[in-house]
Amino acid sequence: DIIIDVNPAGTWNTGGSVSDCGMCNRKLACNQFSSASRISGGGIHGKDISKMDYSGNMMCRYIAKNIVAAGLANTANVDISYSIGVVEPTSINIELDTNKHLEQKLIEWVKNNVGLEPHNIIKRFNPTIPRYAASAMNGNYGKTVYEMQDAKNQILYPWEKLDLVEDLKQIV
């Protein structure tokens, strides 16, 4: 089935720099893995987790990291797209460097088992935790398994947790 959404959030009355400005920050390309990761042109520093370019980005990282930790691939690329005013993602794609036959199974598993709606992502990553100073100083990504044993890092960087691994292994 094809669904076409036209302005699902309603009329867009204000555009340009008036509606889309904020503090200067590094663009996602600087925060991510440079050209190894396909990303939007937005930035994440200084944004709250209710912004989907921030929380959606964290969710993609979280899913991909768990897929790799489960041994299903050496690298995983997770793409999720959203449309303003639509609760469910408009598309989900997972690409693996190996085990390509698992890609569609993983997409279905993620749809059914990981809450990808904005309110579920926000709930999973708990926006009430003040983490901006830590992430500005140490970055948002790249915590090792050893670093994630620290209870403080588990709170500050919940998208680095590997708590989906055992469930993902069952897909094989």
Side-chain angles (χ1 to χ4, degrees):
D1 293 340
I2 296 174
I3 298 172
I4 299 173
D5 290 312
V6 179
N7 292 335
T11 306
W12 192 273
N13 294 317
T14 306
S17 61
V18 173
S19 68
D20 194 20
C21 64
M23 67 170 47
C24 282
N25 67 70
R26 295 175 295 202
K27 291 295 197 176
L28 286 173
C30 298
N31 289 316
Q32 302 275 103
F33 308 100
S34 67
S35 62
S37 181
R38 291 171 283 195
I39 54 173
S40 68
I44 58 176
H45 285 290
K47 289 191 175 182
D48 70 71
I49 205 161
S50 70
K51 306 302 180 203
M52 287 312 296
D53 51 350
Y54 180 46
S55 55
N57 184 283
M58 300 304 179
M59 182 56 80
C60 289
R61 163 71 179 185
Y62 171 69
I63 294 167
K65 185 170 179 169
N66 275 270
I67 288 170
V68 171
L72 303 180
N74 296 315
T75 62
N77 188 69
V78 178
D79 298 323
I80 303 173
S81 66
Y82 293 88
S83 182
I84 295 172
V86 179
V87 176
E88 296 285 332
T90 54
S91 71
I92 303 167
N93 188 47
I94 297 175
E95 292 180 22
L96 308 176
D97 65 335
T98 59
N99 294 320
K100 295 224 173 258
H101 66 283
L102 295 177
E103 291 174 345
Q104 196 57 46
K105 285 183 184 179
L106 285 167
I107 290 169
E108 291 305 314
W109 186 89
V110 167
K111 282 182 186 178
N112 295 324
N113 295 284
V114 181
L116 297 177
E117 304 81 7
H119 66 275
N120 284 326
I121 296 173
I122 290 166
K123 187 169 128 182
R124 182 182 294 271
F125 296 151
N126 192 354
T128 62
I129 303 298
R131 60 176 53 100
Y132 297 108
S135 64
M137 183 172 63
N138 301 313
N140 285 293
Y141 305 119
K143 303 298 170 236
T144 65
V145 172
Y146 174 77
E147 289 173 306
M148 287 307 293
Q149 291 174 1
D150 181 340
K152 182 179 175 184
N153 282 339
Q154 290 180 22
I155 293 168
L156 289 173
Y157 306 99
W159 48 86
E160 293 288 302
K161 289 182 180 178
L162 298 175
D163 54 355
L164 300 177
V165 170
E166 293 308 314
D167 291 334
L168 286 166
K169 286 180 181 179
Q170 302 305 311
I171 293 174
V172 180

